[in-house]
């Protein structure tokens, strides 16, 4: 996967803690989260499973979407994940991203 702006959601488990982030390099960023290299909310709450992501043409649109999602109610976020990933599978595996 080439560098491209992306909003992603990590979870600690099905309907567990969730973390929303933005990056221009999804594989590298997910690797950082899985390896524990990134301190903060996601690491403290063991959010390592990539359960949703959206690609964008440019970073300003990705950042706008990240802010929008962060302002959503938890139920809306859960529904968004459930629509594209009903079992809350770790999508990083299918993308070939590993620790």
């Amino acid at each position: 996967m080439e560098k491209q702006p992306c909003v992603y959601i990590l979870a600690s488990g099905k309907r567990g803690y969730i973390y929303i982030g933005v990056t221009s390099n999804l594989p590298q960023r997910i690797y950082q989260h899985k390896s524990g290299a990134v301190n903060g909310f996601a690491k403290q709450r063991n959010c390592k499973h990539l359960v949703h992501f959206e690609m964008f043409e440019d970073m300003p649109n990705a950042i706008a979407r990240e802010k929008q999602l962060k302002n959503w109610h938890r139920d809306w976020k859960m529904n968004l994940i459930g629509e594209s990933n009903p079992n809350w599978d770790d999508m990083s595996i299918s993308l070939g991203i590993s620790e």
Side-chain angles (χ1 to χ4, degrees), residues 13-93:
K14 189 168 186 177
R15 299 195 64 82
Y17 289 109
I18 61 170
Y19 171 82
I20 300 171
V22 65
T23 184
S24 63
N25 188 335
L26 184 61
Q28 178 183 11
R29 189 68 171 144
I30 298 305
Y31 174 82
Q32 291 170 341
H33 282 294
K34 287 182 173 287
S35 67
V38 180
N39 288 321
F41 181 92
K43 183 176 180 178
Q44 291 170 353
R45 288 161 181 82
N46 201 33
C47 296
K48 294 183 177 183
H49 304 288
L50 177 65
V51 293
H52 181 81
F53 67 95
E54 300 173 12
M55 299 300 216
F56 292 85
E57 291 296 319
D58 56 56
M59 190 54 81
N61 283 324
I63 292 169
R65 178 64 168 164
E66 176 199 27
K67 289 179 180 180
Q68 178 188 44
L69 292 177
K70 285 185 173 185
N71 284 322
W72 279 13
H73 296 284
R74 179 173 170 83
D75 286 344
W76 298 354
K77 296 171 192 176
M78 299 295 119
N79 289 338
L80 176 68
I81 296 164
E83 287 172 8
S84 63
N85 187 359
N87 295 322
W88 288 55
D89 296 323
D90 186 349
M91 301 170 84
S92 65
I93 297 166

